[in-house]
Amino acid sequence: MLYLYFGYLIVQLTTIVKVMGSATMSIDAIVFSIVVFLIWSFIPFLGYVIAKMFKAKGRSSGLFLFAYGAAVGLSEKGLLKLDILSIDNQYIGYIGAIVLFTAVAYVSVQFPARKQDKLLLVR
């Protein structure tokens, strides 16, 4: 379940690293910014959590969830970078991420085991 959040977080982390690297801020401001960033990036993930609380039956592999979270984050960043979404309309990107995270809770995607993995399990 946390794979989805970590995939999204990795993509969002690029922004905060860029901002923190170029700004001269006090330690308190840096810690506060990181805490706010973690909370704010957790909000879209709540769609998945709420869907699972309402007994969503989807069961996906960790690799798929991580890749899906990264893809949602990249698409949100791409929409902002291409000026399809402006900073004033950024909430639309968050709503879209919430909807996509909620949808993946109802879908089951399992990647097949590789041949090497099967051989290791047999031994």
Side-chain angles (χ1 to χ4, degrees), residues 92-119:
I92 295 173
Y94 284 113
I95 291 172
I98 291 169
V99 168
L100 290 172
F101 283 169
T102 304
V104 79
Y106 292 97
V107 177
S108 294
V109 177
Q110 298 290 332
F111 289 127
R114 297 181 307 197
K115 193 172 189 177
Q116 302 104 339
D117 295 341
K118 289 180 183 177
L119 290 176

Side-chain angles (χ1 to χ4, degrees), residues 5 17 26 32 39-40 48-49 51 58-59 70-71 75 82 97 99 112:
Y5 176 64
V17 167
S26 67
F32 177 77
I39 292 169
W40 193 251
Y48 184 85
V49 172
R59 299 199 40 92
S75 64
L82 296 173
V99 168

